[in-house]
Amino acid sequence: MTILGLGTTTIMFSENKITEGNAITHEPGNDKILINQTGIYQISYQLYGTKDSIGTFQFNAILIVNGTAINSTFNESPIIRNSVNRMTLTSTVILKLNQGDILQLSGVSIEDIMYQQARIDIEKID
C-alpha cells in the first residue's frame, strides 16, 4: 500500500490478518471499516509516512466516523528536520461506536507524504 497524500487522505488497508467474531467488517483494499455491533471499541493504529525531499517534515492522523473527523483522536507528529524524513505515528483510543457506523483512518498533512505502511487493530471491549 502506497498512498500519496496532500491534505486529508483516508488510508486503505490491503488485507485483514486476524478476524474473530463479527463486530466489524472490512473488505481488503478499502478505506472503510463497518461497525456491525454497537459497543465500546479500543482502536490502535500505526501509520508510516515518508517525504521525498529533505527539510521540514510533519504529518498527523485522525479517526473519522461517518465522514466526520473525531477531534479528540487527532494525533500530531513532531517536526523532523533531517535527511531521513520518515515518521511513524501510533495511537490508541477508546470510542463508543454504533451499529452501522463507518470508521476510517486519515492521514493529515500540508506536505506531500507517502503513506507506505499502515496497521489498525480494533477490539470490541464492551
Side-chain angles (χ1 to χ4, degrees):
M1 172 207 77
T2 299
I3 299 172
L4 175 62
L6 179 62
T8 301
T9 303
T10 56
I11 305 302
M12 293 184 203
F13 295 95
S14 59
E15 61 186 311
N16 299 328
K17 292 278 185 166
I18 300 172
T19 304
E20 191 172 314
N22 58 3
I24 64 170
T25 303
H26 173 259
E27 192 166 317
N30 200 311
D31 65 344
K32 294 174 178 65
I33 300 165
L34 179 63
I35 305 302
N36 297 322
Q37 297 176 5
T38 297
I40 307 297
Y41 289 81
Q42 178 174 294
I43 303 160
S44 300
Y45 66 83
Q46 294 177 324
L47 181 58
Y48 177 77
T50 62
K51 182 180 174 192
D52 287 337
S53 61
I54 296 171
T56 301
F57 173 59
Q58 180 180 24
F59 77 97
N60 311 301
I62 196 164
L63 291 171
I64 298 172
V65 177
N66 300 326
T68 301
I70 307 302
N71 290 334
S72 63
T73 69
F74 185 74
N75 186 1
E76 187 172 20
S77 76
I79 295 174
I80 295 178
R81 291 183 180 91
N82 64 23
S83 61
V84 178
N85 281 356
R86 62 183 172 209
M87 172 62 80
T88 301
L89 280 180
T90 61
S91 183
T92 299
V93 299
I94 295 176
L95 293 176
K96 182 179 188 300
L97 299 171
N98 297 307
Q99 181 179 359
D101 282 350
I102 296 173
L103 177 69
Q104 295 171 288
L105 174 62
S106 179
V108 181
S109 179
I110 60 170
E111 304 169 58
D112 289 328
I113 304 297
M114 298 292 288
Y115 299 103
Q116 297 177 327
Q117 297 175 11
R119 173 187 175 138
I120 190 165
D121 298 313
I122 303 169
E123 182 178 357
K124 185 175 185 283
I125 58 176
D126 185 34

